[in-house]
Amino acid sequence: MRAEVCTRILSHMIYNDLNMTKIESRPIPEQPFEYRFFVDFEGNLADAAVENAILGIKEEAARLKILGNY
């Protein structure tokens, strides 16, 4: 993922005032020099700010998977 795409994706969290608690990157085995990111943040999927951020991230990201909400 290119740096400008990462910046645009993370800007949705900033714009919606979400507190990111963790970010990890892992290489994608089939794609050299490509990385997958895992992000934890405070919020609930029912919150308007979280819903807005997720919608924006879906437009920017090649792939988005929500692993949980607790």
Side-chain angles (χ1 to χ4, degrees):
M1 185 179 294
R2 296 191 327 248
E4 62 270 6
V5 175
C6 291
T7 302
R8 286 196 314 261
I9 288 172
L10 292 176
S11 72
H12 292 287
M13 302 193 74
I14 295 166
Y15 177 78
N16 288 286
D17 199 28
L18 298 177
N19 184 29
M20 185 170 37
T21 58
K22 184 178 183 179
I23 185 167
E24 287 184 37
S25 63
R26 297 279 185 237
I28 301 173
E30 322 74 62
Q31 301 171 354
F33 306 105
E34 295 277 331
Y35 293 86
R36 183 170 289 130
F37 290 88
F38 297 89
V39 176
D40 287 350
F41 61 90
E42 293 177 354
N44 187 296
L45 289 173
D47 296 341
V50 173
E51 186 176 332
N52 191 40
I54 296 293
L55 287 173
I57 292 169
K58 280 183 180 179
E59 291 178 6
E60 303 282 350
R63 182 173 169 221
L64 173 68
K65 184 174 185 179
I66 298 172
L67 299 177
N69 183 48
Y70 49 93

